[in-house]
Amino acid sequence: MATISPFRAWRYAKERVPIQHAVTQPYDKITPAMQEGYYQASPFNLVRIILGKRFDGDTASENVYTRAAASFREWRETGVLRQDPEPGLYYYTQTFKVPGTAEVAERKGFIGLGRIEDYSSGVVYRHEQTLAKPKADRLDLLRATRAHFGQIFMLYSGSGEVIGGLAAARVREADIEVTDEYEVVHRVWRIAWPEAIARAQQAMREKKLIIADGHHRYETALTYRNERNERGQGGAGGQLASHDWVMMTFVDMDSPGLVILPTHRVVFGLVAAQLAEFSTMARKFFYVEEVDPGIDASRANAILSQAGHANSALLAVASDRAYLLHSPKAIGTDFFGTLSLRQQTLDVVQLHKCLLEGCLHISEEAIRNQQNVHYVREAEEALGQVRSGEAQMAFLMNPVRIGQMHDVAFAGEVMPQKSTDFYPKLLSGLTVYGLE
């Protein structure tokens, strides 16, 4: 059911720019400090295209998107980026230390083109909600550059057949090897052997795909495809056009090395009354136990892991009080409206609906717009923000399980934004798919 294709990637010429000075984390993971660091690393760093600087004097003809397009055009013309001579798939591994443990893991996948499908086709499934503003930004960039610089992270279920066949086709050292700022080692091999590619294409035709990361960019590519087709710019003679495809990294969800981290929430900007009634309100939705308010991240994660074996478990930590919230009481009631039982049992839904909305009276719109809520990967950072006074309360939780994500996605349902944090991220700039 999934249609994939090899492609002639544009890649950085090693003699023009060291790859470690050129690639970046995905655009939505780049902080202002990281952006500045990338700018300083090289005049050819990809950040200048995917997340360029904006200036007060920008106009309709000179702006962050026109500069991105000009850089991409110049880098191709001057040989900073070179296109591979023949189509290929790109075997991609990431070796990393699992955060919070001493375990070293390796995630294996491959980069190729995937046909863009409407969700209604039953081939590509999402699992998270998207926001309009990021999609508008990515669409403007795609219109200007007519290229994809990062991969959509796609999951499929298999027995290792696809990735095993491509691994066997490697005949040399990696074409690309780079260690990123999180000490993750990324390696890429170009696979151009037609027989190996054909076997991978045949095996993937049986697969359905779940978007792990890149929902906004996938829906942007879908919108762009529709725009081009509505203008009569579809492929000739029934053939697919370049904009019918988007660059993807495909990872078997049944394989080792697939790590999901939690994304914790910190809240701020609340009035005293909202905080004062929290523990009383929380008891309407959970069994509540007080814990040491000076709890550290290691102990917090241990408590959550143990309490979360049976059902949802959350930790709410304020400056002077901390609570373990477990055994939710509202599942199956009208409180959740039209949300299914699959959705209601998710820790992140319990957090959003019961605690943020039900107890603290933060509206769904305010959460969506991050008016009172920020998202934090590390429990230590979340606790630190509370203790420094930057935030009023931190909500810590366990990660979503891959089976939960699978079930929600294939049911055609979604989770709140920032429900899953797949680690590590796919680097942008390893391969580039130019539509023209």
Side-chain angles (χ1 to χ4, degrees):
M1 299 179 69
T3 304
I4 70 167
S5 175
F7 69 112
R8 295 174 59 209
W10 290 90
R11 295 191 286 145
Y12 279 99
K14 296 178 181 179
E15 68 274 17
R16 294 297 305 275
V17 54
I19 190 67
Q20 66 267 24
H21 296 162
V23 294
T24 76
Q25 294 294 317
Y27 80 99
D28 57 339
K29 298 299 180 183
I30 299 175
T31 65
M34 292 170 68
Q35 182 193 45
E36 186 59 37
Y38 289 145
Y39 260 82
Q40 295 300 320
S42 170
F44 306 119
N45 188 280
L46 193 72
V47 76
R48 297 169 186 268
I49 292 177
I50 65 170
L51 195 67
K53 293 181 178 180
R54 300 172 184 265
F55 302 109
D56 292 339
D58 282 352
T59 65
S61 59
E62 173 66 24
N63 55 59
V64 66
Y65 306 113
T66 61
R67 288 190 291 272
S71 292
F72 183 45
R73 181 173 57 252
E74 178 186 349
W75 297 355
R76 287 181 294 176
E77 291 174 351
T78 59
V80 172
L81 291 170
R82 292 178 182 167
Q83 192 171 29
D84 285 331
E86 55 189 344
L89 298 176
Y90 299 81
Y91 184 84
Y92 180 15
T93 68
Q94 296 165 285
T95 305
F96 59 99
K97 182 179 177 181
V98 179
T101 75
E103 178 187 356
V104 175
E106 183 178 55
R107 189 170 70 196
K108 302 174 183 178
F110 68 95
I111 305 169
L113 299 186
R115 181 176 179 176
I116 299 169
E117 304 275 4
D118 294 313
Y119 292 136
S120 60
S121 69
V123 176
V124 173
Y125 293 80
R126 59 178 180 160
H127 78 272
E128 283 190 348
Q129 296 173 340
T130 55
L131 305 175
K133 186 175 179 180
K135 288 191 287 188
D137 168 59
R138 293 298 95 181
L139 183 57
D140 284 339
L141 181 65
L142 180 55
R143 287 168 176 159
T145 61
R146 300 193 176 188
H148 297 285
F149 301 94
Q151 316 109 50
I152 313 298
F153 185 175
M154 287 292 195
L155 298 173
Y156 66 93
S157 183
S159 60
E161 170 191 3
V162 181
I163 199 64
L166 291 174
R170 295 176 298 169
V171 294
R172 58 190 179 282
E173 293 184 359
D175 296 279
I176 299 172
E177 180 170 330
V178 58
T179 301
D180 69 19
E181 52 266 78
Y182 301 107
E183 300 302 317
V184 178
V185 180
H186 304 256
R187 297 183 179 92
V188 177
W189 290 259
R190 186 170 72 92
I191 308 296
W193 185 26
E195 289 82 357
I197 293 171
R199 285 197 295 269
Q201 288 178 293
Q202 180 61 38
M204 290 300 292
R205 288 195 183 101
E206 304 173 2
K207 311 301 182 187
K208 297 180 180 181
L209 305 174
I210 298 176
I211 303 172
D213 270 338
H215 288 78
H216 291 92
R217 285 176 288 129
Y218 184 82
E219 293 181 13
T220 294
L222 183 58
T223 298
Y224 184 73
R225 181 205 69 178
N226 293 342
E227 285 183 353
R228 295 285 296 269
N229 289 344
E230 287 167 4
R231 292 199 295 265
Q233 298 174 340
Q239 297 296 311
L240 295 175
S242 61
H243 55 261
D244 287 311
W245 304 88
V246 67
M247 190 166 59
M248 301 175 178
T249 290
F250 303 90
V251 173
D252 189 335
M253 74 177 79
D254 302 321
S255 64
L258 193 61
V259 174
I260 304 177
L261 302 178
T263 300
H264 308 298
R265 274 63 168 161
V266 297
V267 299
F268 56 92
L270 304 180
V271 299
Q274 288 173 285
L275 295 171
E277 65 178 4
F278 173 78
S279 63
T280 300
M281 292 291 293
R283 285 176 168 82
K284 296 181 179 181
F285 299 103
F286 294 93
Y287 290 91
V288 178
E289 299 177 23
E290 288 212 40
V291 298
D292 176 12
I295 190 170
D296 63 14
S298 177
R299 179 60 180 153
N301 289 331
I303 290 173
L304 282 170
S305 178
Q306 182 177 7
H309 280 305
N311 49 43
S312 294
L314 303 161
L315 274 173
V317 182
S319 60
D320 59 345
R321 305 290 287 273
Y323 308 95
L324 171 64
L325 314 165
H326 63 91
S327 307
K329 302 176 180 179
I331 291 175
T333 69
D334 293 339
F335 176 78
F336 290 97
T338 60
L339 294 181
S340 72
L341 285 175
R342 275 180 300 270
Q343 293 166 302
Q344 292 177 36
T345 55
L346 295 170
D347 292 15
V348 66
V349 171
Q350 290 284 325
L351 171 54
H352 276 228
K353 300 302 291 185
C354 298
L355 300 183
L356 299 183
E357 295 180 42
C359 295
L360 296 178
H361 311 298
I362 304 173
S363 71
E364 184 177 353
E365 181 179 4
I367 296 170
R368 186 166 54 247
N369 295 331
Q370 299 186 41
Q371 292 174 4
N372 297 98
V373 179
H374 283 164
Y375 302 96
V376 179
R377 171 183 284 175
E378 300 292 342
E380 184 176 5
E381 180 184 352
L383 295 172
Q385 288 189 22
V386 171
R387 286 159 189 165
S388 70
E390 183 180 349
Q392 293 165 297
M393 187 172 286
F395 291 96
L396 311 181
M397 61 181 163
N398 290 309
V400 171
R401 296 187 295 275
I402 190 69
Q404 292 176 308
M405 189 208 68
H406 172 282
D407 293 346
V408 167
F410 282 150
E413 299 165 351
V414 294
M415 304 177 188
Q417 65 272 24
K418 304 292 185 181
S419 292
T420 56
D421 181 5
F422 286 87
Y423 185 86
K425 298 305 178 186
L426 307 175
L427 287 187
S428 295
L430 295 173
T431 58
V432 175
Y433 172 46
L435 305 185
E436 297 179 351

